[in-house]
């Protein structure tokens, strides 16, 4: 494959020296996660096509042991090693893709090498010739030379390749490799070294990898494309991306262009690191050449590379680019695989393009058969989009197609049923899972518990819990999830029973105590929450930060700040107080009870212990003193907040406006309101209370235009409430602008927002002053019929109307005396008198309600 690509080594930041790779002591091997892999990068270029050069010297059974083997063998009985990686099976050495099988041989539960002898491998049976017997002998006999006696002079290159490739433990592979090197009749080629580089790289034995590389160079064994691909692969999967890029840089410096498999490895590395742009740039550099300043594709890629790039684009949200790559794949005659369609379906589904998903499924069925993963993706996508019917249909279609649902299929659908309280469907699926021996995981189990609880099927929920509890395999997290399920919905007795069950199997940890305390908090059983806390130490369980935080929050929110404070002190003594959150809860509780002195005391204690208050703490205190009109105290906390370099938020700004409104500080309030408006956007404005405060300040000073500006803005946003209108009405009335005031009153009645005596009295006062007696009587009737109780201010306005209509003050006083002695009869008298004088038919039936 001829490529014009020239990868600039300097752009890869090759900052490492090959002499400085980390070397881990054999007794301190770092832990790592098992890496799944379906191909061997070290074998895709094929073997060395030159015939092996044999010497005329006789191959003895002895032989020297190489440097690496000496280091390994010297302490082989004391090695702490990682469990073996997947054992690979028979494959064509030319393509690098192999089957895999997880098999951990020769290790006890602590990761120690127990012995070399293991059960006979059955994997070698997939090979022909002498390979099965050789692998069996190597598994059974500790000494490599003894194991390979029958074949020591006649092992071919390919047989030696398979023997090395089939080793599950890196130490054994090293022993065999060194034995091969000790036999002068064998010449190890680059493929053998590639396999060893991969084995040692997977085991994170970086010093040995480096030694092996140097040995290759010393012996004149030229690295090939797959050598670099193997090194890039193992280092990137080992979490050493910078080192992986070093190898890519070395490759570029010698003018070797990555082949497709190596390119796929680099793309996977960038994708894993979520560096999607770098992956795209690398792919474009590799797959396109420059011809007359135009980017033209010059290589024919396999479906594997296309799949990798489609997935990379999909994960980065580049749907258009992924689609274009898919179309290019089709144009070049590359038949999409099941993996291709799965990737495309997953990408479109995650981006809400379910129409494209349906179209892809139709195309897929014409070209290749969907697999279980295809249907799992479809089930998941449709449950996330709340189309449970379609998800269930795909589940049935999968079975009808002869595919066996896997645990993911069942769990996805079962969870979807549970959160939708589809009890009957869930139980049918559980029965099917039991019949097929599909294990139900703890996450799904707790989801089903919640389903039964929310469906108020408490007995069934308990039987369901017991099914897993009695097996004896439920983890601490499983018990805590079930306690939480009952506790969140107020079923304290059931939560307590689960808690006791957890104790019976000796699985109580701090997690169970935390959720039990939380359950008591939800159920307002503060004393029991404290009892559980106090009992922890007797069971050998120490409270953690979450325990203290939960208990302090529960007590503070239950108006028990003094008790919360005592636990806060214990929390501080144990060193669990790292922020001001628990202090804020206690301060807020004291403020709620009006105990501002205590709130200040807790604040000072917090500062004395070098715990910095945040904007929420300052906001609580500023708002508390704003409510009491204490400007000096409120401003002292504003100043403390500024000194601490904390920027005030909208809550604090609103509190200050409230304070300035109470004491009549217009200029200060205006300045803060401007700041609020400047920080707002189209979706967020100052809250209604704050805007009403400004209208109140303006109306008291008869600053009509400024009040109107805020009023109109609030009306446009639909935020103007009863008090907004009432303040505007009073301002207009005070300034003799009865027409505007009447319009406001009319709007209030039409909008039916009159719900408070104050608002009704504002309207009645306006009508009485402006001579609109008929409207006044109608408004009074509305007030009575709505159930709002008139007060003295109401009857003062109504008395003014009666006097203006010619009734004597003495007569008005008699009507009021009747009302005070007998409310119902008095209201009837008021309504009938007003109606007769104004000329409106009276209706006193509504007086019965009052």
């Amino acid at each position: 494959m001829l490529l014009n690509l020239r990868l600039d080594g300097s752009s890869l930041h090759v900052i490492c020296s090959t002499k400085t790779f980390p070397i881990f002591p054999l007794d301190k091997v770092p832990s790592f996660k098992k890496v799944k892999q379906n191909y061997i990068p070290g074998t895709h270029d094929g073997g060395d096509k030159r015939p092996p050069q044999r010497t005329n010297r006789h191959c003895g059974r002895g032989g020297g042991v190489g440097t690496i083997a000496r280091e390994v063998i010297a302490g082989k009985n004391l090695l702490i090693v990682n469990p073996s990686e997947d054992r690979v099976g028979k494959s064509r050495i030319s393509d690098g893709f192999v089957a895999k099988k997880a098999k951990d041989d020769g290790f006890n539960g602590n990761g120690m090498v127990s012995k070399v002898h293991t059960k006979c491998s059955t994997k070698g049976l997939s090979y022909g010739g002498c390979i099965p017997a050789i692998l069996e002998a190597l598994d059974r006999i500790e000494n490599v030379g003894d194991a390979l006696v029958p074949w020591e002079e006649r092992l071919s290159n390919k047989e030696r390749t398979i023997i090395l490739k089939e080793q599950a433990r890196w130490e054994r592979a090293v022993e065999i490799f060194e034995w091969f090197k000790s036999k002068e009749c064998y010449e190890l080629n680059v493929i053998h070294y590639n396999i060893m580089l991969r084995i040692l790289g997977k085991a994170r034995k970086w010093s040995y990898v480096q030694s092996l590389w140097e040995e290759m160079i010393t012996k004149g064994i030229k690295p090939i494309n797959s050598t670099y691909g193997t090194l890039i692969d193992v280092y990137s999967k080992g979490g050493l991306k910078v080192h992986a890029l070093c190898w890519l840089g070395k490759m570029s410096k010698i003018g070797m262009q990555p082949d497709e498999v190596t390119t796929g490895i680099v793309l996977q590395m960038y994708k894993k690191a979520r560096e999607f742009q770098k992956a795209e740039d690398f792919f474009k550099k590799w797959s396109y050449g420059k011809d007359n300043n135009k980017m033209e594709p010059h290589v024919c890629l396999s479906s594997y590379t296309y799949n990798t790039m489609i997935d990379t684009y999909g994960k980065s949200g580049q749907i258009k680019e992924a689609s274009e790559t898919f179309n290019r794949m089709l144009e070049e005659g590359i038949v999409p695989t099941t993996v291709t369609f799965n990737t495309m379906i997953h990408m479109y589904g995650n981006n809400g393009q379910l129409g494209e998903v349906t179209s892809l499924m139709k195309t897929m069925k014409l070209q290749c058969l969907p697999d279980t993963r295809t249907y799992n993706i479809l089930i998941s996508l449709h449950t996330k989009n709340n189309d449970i019917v379609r998800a269930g249909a795909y589940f049935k279609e999968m079975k009808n197609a002869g595919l066996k649902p896997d645990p993911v299929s069942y769990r996805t659908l079962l969870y979807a049923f549970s959160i939708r309280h589809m009890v009957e469907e869930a139980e049918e699926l559980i029965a099917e899972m039991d019949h097929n021996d599909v294990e139900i995981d703890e996450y799904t189990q707790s989801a089903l518990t919640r389903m039964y609880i929310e469906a108020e099927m408490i007995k069934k929920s308990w039987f369901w819990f017991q099914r897993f509890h009695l097996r004896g395999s439920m983890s601490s997290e499983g018990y805590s999830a079930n306690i939480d399920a009952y506790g969140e919905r107020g079923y304290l007795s059931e939560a307590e029973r689960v808690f006791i069950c957890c104790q019976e199997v000796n699985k109580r940890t701090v997690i169970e105590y935390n959720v039990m305390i939380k359950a008591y908090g939800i159920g307002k059983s503060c004393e029991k929450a404290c009892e559980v806390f106090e009992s922890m130490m007797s069971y050998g369980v120490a409270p953690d930060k979450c325990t203290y935080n939960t208990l302090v929050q529960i007590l503070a929110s239950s108006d028990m700040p003094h008790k919360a404070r005592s636990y806060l002190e214990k929390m501080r003594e144990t060193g669990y107080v790292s922020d001001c959150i628990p202090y804020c809860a206690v301060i807020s509780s004291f403020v709620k009870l009006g105990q501002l002195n205590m709130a200040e005391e807790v604040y000072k204690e917090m500062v004395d212990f070098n715990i910095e208050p945040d904007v929420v703490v300052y906001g609580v205190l500023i708002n508390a003193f704003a409510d009491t009109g204490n400007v000096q105290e409120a401003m002292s906390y504003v100043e403390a907040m500024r000194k601490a370099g904390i920027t005030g938020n909208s809550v604090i700004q609103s509190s200050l406006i409230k304070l300035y409104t109470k004491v009549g500080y217009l200029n200060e309030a205006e300045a803060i309101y401007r700041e609020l408006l400047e920080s707002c956007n189209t979706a967020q404005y100052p809250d209604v209370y704050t805007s009403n405060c400004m209208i109140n300040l303006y109306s008291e000073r008869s600053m009509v235009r400024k009040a109107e500006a805020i009023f109109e803005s609030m009306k446009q946003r639909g935020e103007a409430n009863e008090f907004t209108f009432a303040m505007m009405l009073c301002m207009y009335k005070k300034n003799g602008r009865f027409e505007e005031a009447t319009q406001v009153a009319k709007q209030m009645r039409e909008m039916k927002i009159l719900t408070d005596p104050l608002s009704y009295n504002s309207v009645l006062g306006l009508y009485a002053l402006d001579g609109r007696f008929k409207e006044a009587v109608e408004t009074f009737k509305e007030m009575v019929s709505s159930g709002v109780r008139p007060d003295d201010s109401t009857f003062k306005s109504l008395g003014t109307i009666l006097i203006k209509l010619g009734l004597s003050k003495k007569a008005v006083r008699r009507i009021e005396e009747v009302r005070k002695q007998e409310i119902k009869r008095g209201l009837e008298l008021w309504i009938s008198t007003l109606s007769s004088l104004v000329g409106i038919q009276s209706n006193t039936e509504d007086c019965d309600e009052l």
Side-chain angles (χ1 to χ4, degrees):
M1 185 182 297
L2 297 176
L3 301 177
N4 294 323
L5 170 67
R6 290 293 180 268
L7 294 175
D8 183 4
S10 62
S11 68
L12 297 171
H13 305 287
V14 185
I15 59 174
C16 55
S17 166
T18 58
K19 301 289 186 182
T20 58
F21 290 101
I23 299 176
F24 301 124
L26 289 177
D27 60 342
K28 293 183 180 179
V29 179
S31 62
F32 61 97
K33 292 183 179 178
K34 188 172 183 179
V35 180
K36 294 184 179 178
Q37 186 145 353
N38 295 323
Y39 61 91
I40 297 179
T43 60
H44 65 271
D45 266 290
D48 189 343
K49 296 182 179 179
R50 295 175 296 172
Q53 300 295 317
R54 295 182 180 251
T55 65
N56 294 324
R57 283 176 284 185
H58 180 69
C59 293
R61 288 179 60 185
V65 180
T67 305
I68 298 176
R70 284 196 193 95
E71 294 180 43
V72 175
I73 295 170
K76 66 183 178 184
N77 294 325
L78 297 174
L79 291 178
I80 299 176
V81 298
N82 296 310
S84 61
E85 295 288 351
D86 295 342
R87 172 169 289 183
V88 293
K90 183 176 180 181
S91 74
R92 293 185 310 152
I93 297 180
S94 60
D95 64 11
F97 292 86
V98 298
K100 62 176 183 172
K101 177 183 176 183
K103 182 80 172 177
D104 294 341
D105 290 332
F107 293 88
N108 61 24
N110 297 319
M112 297 292 293
V113 179
S114 55
K115 60 180 181 178
V116 174
H117 302 296
T118 61
K119 292 182 180 179
C120 297
S121 171
T122 58
K123 188 66 180 176
L125 297 177
S126 61
Y127 297 101
C130 60
I131 291 296
I134 293 173
L135 295 177
E136 190 275 334
L138 286 169
D139 277 346
R140 183 169 46 83
I141 302 171
E142 181 175 357
N143 185 276
V144 176
D146 293 343
L148 296 178
V149 166
W151 309 278
E152 66 177 343
E153 294 186 15
R154 52 190 176 87
L155 290 173
S156 67
N157 269 343
K158 183 174 181 180
E159 287 166 342
R160 279 178 279 134
T161 298
I162 294 171
I163 290 168
L164 288 173
K165 188 175 65 176
E166 285 294 297
Q167 298 312 304
R169 294 188 298 110
W170 67 271
E171 301 93 339
R172 190 60 164 169
V174 169
E175 290 176 359
I176 296 169
F177 186 70
E178 292 296 331
W179 186 85
F180 285 153
K181 286 198 297 183
S182 71
K183 300 297 176 183
E184 295 182 356
C185 56
Y186 293 138
E187 179 182 0
L188 295 175
N189 62 32
V190 69
I191 296 303
H192 302 128
Y193 277 89
N194 285 356
I195 291 170
M196 288 305 300
L197 287 171
R198 173 175 168 74
I199 290 171
L200 292 169
K202 285 179 69 177
R204 274 61 168 177
K205 300 302 171 185
W206 309 120
S207 60
Y208 298 151
V209 170
Q210 183 59 34
S211 296
L212 204 59
W213 168 263
E214 291 172 356
E215 183 180 301
M216 286 179 67
I217 303 304
T218 302
K219 289 186 175 183
I221 299 173
K222 273 187 134 184
I224 58 176
N225 218 301
S226 61
T227 309
Y228 288 102
T230 299
L231 289 165
I232 294 167
D233 188 52
V234 295
Y235 275 100
S236 65
K237 288 179 178 173
L240 302 174
K241 193 186 79 170
V242 173
H243 293 74
L245 290 173
C246 285
W247 291 110
L248 184 59
K250 285 176 177 292
M251 191 178 187
S252 174
K253 282 181 179 179
I254 64 172
M256 183 181 290
Q257 309 307 323
D259 63 9
E260 189 176 353
V261 176
T262 303
T263 298
I265 290 167
V266 176
L267 294 176
Q268 289 286 356
M269 175 184 69
Y270 283 129
K271 186 176 73 171
K272 182 181 177 183
R274 301 194 69 78
E275 295 178 345
F276 302 118
Q277 189 58 51
K278 288 184 179 179
E280 182 181 3
D281 293 343
F282 182 85
F283 177 70
K284 285 181 177 178
K285 268 188 179 182
W286 181 80
S287 61
Y288 285 85
K290 291 186 178 180
D291 182 18
N292 297 327
N293 296 322
K294 293 182 180 180
M295 297 293 285
E296 296 293 341
H298 68 282
V299 291
C300 184
L301 307 176
S302 70
S303 61
Y304 174 81
T305 306
Y306 277 114
N307 291 346
T308 301
M309 274 316 297
I310 290 169
D311 191 39
T312 301
Y313 283 130
K315 283 184 168 61
S316 63
Q318 296 176 271
I319 311 303
K320 180 183 176 183
E321 289 79 1
S323 300
E324 288 173 352
T325 305
F326 180 68
N327 291 333
R328 178 182 163 190
M329 181 181 186
L330 298 177
E331 288 168 4
E332 293 191 0
I334 306 297
V335 179
T337 64
T338 302
V339 174
T340 315
F341 282 106
N342 287 351
T343 304
M344 292 293 291
I345 289 169
H346 192 259
M347 178 190 70
Y348 280 124
N350 279 342
N351 286 274
Q353 299 183 30
L354 296 183
E356 293 289 344
V357 169
T358 304
S359 176
L360 275 170
M361 271 300 291
K362 290 178 181 177
T363 307
M364 183 181 187
K365 289 175 181 178
L366 297 174
Q367 298 193 31
C368 57
L369 292 176
D371 60 7
T372 301
R373 175 163 170 73
T374 311
Y375 285 106
N376 286 350
I377 292 169
L378 291 166
I379 292 167
S380 177
L381 291 175
H382 285 91
T383 55
K384 285 177 182 176
N385 284 275
N386 206 30
D387 191 347
I388 195 69
V389 175
R390 180 70 67 86
Y394 277 122
F395 183 75
K396 290 178 182 176
E397 183 180 311
M398 172 170 56
K399 292 191 290 184
N400 292 337
L403 293 170
K404 187 176 181 181
D406 63 12
V408 175
S409 318
Y410 284 109
R411 289 168 189 168
T412 304
L413 196 56
L414 187 56
Y415 181 74
F417 286 149
S418 69
I419 62 175
R420 291 168 176 79
H421 307 158
M422 299 172 69
V423 177
E424 185 177 341
E425 291 83 352
E427 289 181 339
E428 287 178 5
L429 200 58
I430 291 166
E432 185 177 323
M433 292 174 75
D434 289 340
H435 178 75
N436 293 326
D437 294 323
V438 178
E439 184 181 352
I440 297 173
D441 65 306
E442 289 187 346
Y443 181 79
T444 310
Q445 182 273 323
S446 62
L448 268 292
T449 300
R450 291 177 185 272
M451 176 192 73
Y452 283 123
I453 294 169
E454 290 168 2
E456 297 184 357
M457 303 170 74
I458 306 305
K459 284 187 178 180
K460 275 199 172 185
S461 74
W462 183 252
F463 290 143
W464 177 251
F465 162 75
Q466 280 194 312
R467 166 179 165 172
F468 295 87
H469 163 62
L470 295 175
R471 288 180 184 174
S473 59
M474 185 176 284
S475 68
S476 176
E477 289 76 10
Y479 283 107
S480 62
N482 283 274
I483 294 169
D484 199 41
Y486 285 114
E488 280 187 348
R489 288 151 188 83
Y491 292 100
L492 284 182
S493 60
E494 285 75 14
E496 288 170 334
R497 288 170 71 187
V498 177
F499 191 60
I500 293 168
C501 288
C502 186
Q503 183 183 17
E504 290 172 354
V505 294
N506 295 319
K507 285 193 176 178
R508 274 193 189 176
T509 67
V510 68
I511 301 173
E512 284 73 39
Y513 279 96
N514 289 349
V515 292
M516 195 65 236
I517 290 170
K518 174 189 169 185
Y520 282 131
I522 293 172
K524 304 298 180 185
S525 300
C526 297
E527 293 302 322
K528 284 191 174 183
C530 294
E531 288 173 10
V532 170
F533 178 89
E534 298 298 338
S535 70
M536 291 178 70
M537 296 301 290
S538 62
Y539 287 98
V541 181
D544 62 6
K545 182 178 179 178
C546 181
T547 317
Y548 281 106
N549 263 330
T550 303
L551 191 57
V552 169
Q553 294 284 349
I554 287 169
L555 295 171
S557 62
S558 298
D559 298 338
M560 301 170 70
H562 291 283
K563 200 161 189 175
R565 188 181 180 186
S566 67
Y567 283 104
L568 178 57
E569 289 176 2
K570 291 181 182 179
M571 183 180 182
R572 179 181 50 76
E573 290 167 0
T574 55
Y576 283 129
V577 177
S578 59
D579 53 46
C580 64
I581 293 174
Y583 277 98
C584 185
V586 177
I587 290 169
S588 299
S589 187
F590 278 124
V591 166
K592 182 182 175 184
L593 297 176
Q595 300 178 27
L596 299 190
N597 290 338
M598 291 301 300
E600 283 197 290
E601 189 177 306
V602 174
Y603 168 80
K604 290 173 183 175
E605 177 187 294
M606 176 180 66
V607 174
D608 289 341
F609 285 114
N610 297 318
I611 298 166
E612 295 183 0
D614 63 5
V615 69
V616 179
V617 173
Y618 285 117
V620 169
L621 291 167
I622 291 168
N623 189 64
F625 287 107
D627 281 337
T628 61
N630 192 328
V631 179
Q632 186 176 351
E633 284 294 328
M635 293 310 298
S636 70
Y637 288 108
V638 172
E639 187 60 29
M641 184 178 69
R642 286 173 181 164
K643 285 182 179 179
I646 298 174
T647 305
N649 57 21
S650 60
V651 175
I652 290 177
Q653 289 172 321
S654 297
S655 296
L656 287 174
I657 290 175
K658 175 170 62 176
L659 171 64
Y660 292 143
T661 301
K662 286 189 176 183
V663 296
Y665 288 8
L666 174 63
N667 292 336
E668 291 82 352
E670 272 190 319
I672 294 176
Y673 194 73
R674 276 196 298 270
E675 289 179 15
L676 270 175
L677 288 174
E678 288 170 2
S679 63
C680 291
N681 52 46
T682 55
Q684 182 183 7
Y685 288 89
D687 61 57
V688 176
Y689 184 86
T690 303
S691 297
N692 281 348
C693 284
M694 291 306 301
I695 290 176
N696 183 51
L697 282 169
Y698 288 135
S699 65
E700 285 180 353
R701 289 161 179 77
S702 297
M703 300 171 72
V704 178
R705 288 188 179 178
K706 288 190 174 183
E708 285 178 336
I710 297 176
F711 179 56
E712 291 301 324
S713 176
M714 292 178 72
K715 283 202 298 182
Q716 287 177 8
R717 300 194 302 270
E719 292 179 353
N721 62 15
E722 177 180 2
F723 302 105
T724 314
F725 280 93
M727 284 188 292
M728 292 300 295
L729 187 151
C730 291
M731 182 185 69
Y732 285 132
K733 183 176 71 172
K734 185 174 71 172
N735 287 275
R737 299 174 64 164
F738 295 112
E739 186 176 343
E740 289 94 332
T742 303
Q743 286 298 319
V744 172
K746 182 181 178 183
Q747 290 175 35
M748 292 175 75
R749 292 177 65 191
E750 289 174 349
M751 294 168 65
K752 300 186 184 301
I753 60 173
L754 291 168
T755 61
D756 185 90
L758 181 64
S759 303
Y760 272 110
N761 291 342
S762 298
V763 175
L764 288 171
L766 169 68
Y767 287 151
L769 186 62
D770 195 34
R772 296 177 177 274
F773 304 142
K774 184 176 180 181
E775 288 92 333
V777 176
E778 290 173 348
T779 302
F780 178 57
K781 287 183 176 181
E782 289 170 8
M783 183 180 187
V784 173
S785 63
S786 67
V788 177
R789 187 177 293 276
D791 57 17
D792 290 342
S793 181
T794 311
F795 293 107
K796 184 179 179 181
S797 296
L798 294 174
T800 301
I801 292 172
L802 290 178
I803 291 169
K804 284 186 176 183
L805 289 171
L807 204 65
S808 67
K809 292 183 179 180
K810 186 177 180 180
V812 172
R813 283 197 295 271
R814 281 202 298 269
I815 295 173
E816 259 300 86
E817 287 172 3
V818 173
R819 180 186 69 83
K820 290 178 180 179
Q821 292 172 4
E822 193 176 346
I823 293 176
K824 180 184 174 184
R825 185 163 169 268
L827 285 175
E828 290 175 352
L829 186 58
W830 269 106
I831 291 173
S832 60
T833 304
L834 284 164
S835 299
S836 62
L837 291 174
V838 175
I840 301 175
Q841 184 177 354
S842 66
N843 185 356
T844 58
E845 291 180 3
D846 294 320
C847 296
D848 294 338
E849 298 178 10
L850 299 171

